[in-house]
Amino acid sequence: MLKTTLITGSILLAFLYIGFGDQLTFLPKEMQTTSVQTRTSLTKFGTGLIPNWVSRTKEKPDSFERTEEQLQQEQKGK
C-alpha cells in the first residue's frame, strides 16, 4: 500500500512539475527552465507521433470545385 502511494505521489508531482514548474517562483531558475524544456520536448514528441495525420485530413481547396464540375459535365451529357 505504501509503495503504491509513493509511486502515485511521485507521478503526480512529476506531472505538476512539468505542467507548472516554470510558474513557481521559489524554484531555482535552472529547474524552471528544465520544466519548460521538458514540456516542449513532450509536446514535440506527441505531435511527432502523427506528423502526416493533419495534412491528410485537411481538405484541398479545389476538391469541391472539381466535384461540382464533374457533376455538371455528367448532367449535361445525359
Side-chain angles (χ1 to χ4, degrees):
M1 181 69 179
L2 179 63
K3 186 176 180 180
T4 305
T5 304
L6 287 175
I7 291 172
T8 305
S10 298
I11 292 172
L12 182 62
L13 285 175
F15 280 128
L16 288 173
Y17 169 70
I18 292 170
F20 304 103
D22 59 324
Q23 299 173 4
L24 302 174
T25 56
F26 62 87
L27 289 177
K29 189 68 175 170
E30 293 82 16
M31 287 183 76
Q32 292 176 351
T33 304
T34 304
S35 171
V36 172
Q37 290 173 345
T38 304
R39 188 170 52 246
T40 304
S41 297
L42 287 173
T43 302
K44 287 182 181 179
F45 173 75
T47 56
L49 289 176
I50 336 172
N52 296 325
W53 180 74
V54 174
S55 64
R56 278 189 246 144
T57 58
K58 286 185 180 176
E59 304 238 6
K60 295 180 181 173
D62 64 338
S63 65
F64 292 115
E65 293 171 4
R66 285 187 289 131
T67 305
E68 287 292 323
E69 289 173 4
Q70 289 174 354
L71 286 173
Q72 288 175 0
Q73 289 175 358
E74 286 182 16
Q75 288 175 355
K76 288 179 183 177
K78 288 185 179 179

